[in-house]
Amino acid sequence: MTGKNAEHALVEQWRDILSLHARTQCELDRALHGHGLCASDFEVLDVLAEGTAADGGCAYRVQEIAERVHLSQSALSRLIGRLEKDGLVCRAMCEEDRRGVRVVLTAKGCALHDEVRPVQRAVLGRMLAESG
């Protein structure tokens, strides 16, 4: 394969990845809409439900969540504000660092996550199987 052909194949592969991401994001948004969530909302709930934070605590710092969900700090703060308003998460100041904010799932957030998780996983399974 010549340099030009290899470059073209690389760009096409990258565009295929972007296309799969966009299609999957749209499918997730459609599937989760009936539960009052979008794909990004669910990602935050999923990160919070996964287990323990880097320091072993049950609540995550906003920065830890931002690193996992690939949203800007400001977009994530707005999203967490909506989830908090809906009673799905709560925020509190970090005990060890008064400048930090920790986020934790509420009982309502845990219940919604448990209800919606199979829906999200089914969409991921279907979309990723189609791409392979």
Side-chain angles (χ1 to χ4, degrees):
M1 191 182 291
T2 67
K4 196 113 168 127
N5 289 339
E7 182 180 311
H8 178 74
L10 185 65
V11 170
E12 285 305 309
Q13 184 180 13
W14 172 242
R15 289 182 181 150
D16 288 346
I17 291 168
L18 291 175
S19 177
L20 174 62
H21 177 268
R23 288 191 319 271
T24 303
Q25 194 80 7
C26 287
E27 279 298 309
L28 287 168
D29 284 340
R30 272 194 284 277
L32 299 175
H33 180 76
H35 299 275
L37 299 172
C38 69
S40 295
D41 296 340
F42 181 82
E43 280 301 313
V44 170
L45 297 181
D46 205 37
V47 166
L48 294 172
E50 279 181 350
T52 56
D55 64 2
C58 65
Y60 285 76
R61 290 175 178 264
V62 173
Q63 181 59 36
E64 289 176 306
I65 300 168
E67 291 167 1
R68 308 250 338 255
V69 299
H70 309 289
L71 292 173
S72 69
Q73 194 92 20
S74 61
L76 179 60
S77 291
R78 287 190 301 274
L79 188 152
I80 290 170
R82 286 193 317 272
L83 295 176
E84 187 175 36
K85 184 178 167 212
D86 292 342
L88 303 174
V89 302
C90 60
R91 287 187 273 197
M93 297 299 288
C94 294
E95 291 300 318
E96 65 281 356
D97 175 6
R98 302 301 288 171
R99 294 169 296 165
V101 175
R102 290 193 174 272
V103 182
V104 66
L105 276 178
T106 63
K108 181 180 177 182
C110 283
L112 183 59
H113 176 265
D114 289 347
E115 173 187 331
V116 175
R117 185 176 182 271
V119 173
Q120 190 257 9
R121 297 304 198 261
V123 169
L124 288 181
R126 186 177 72 253
M127 296 302 292
L128 295 176
E130 290 174 8
S131 75

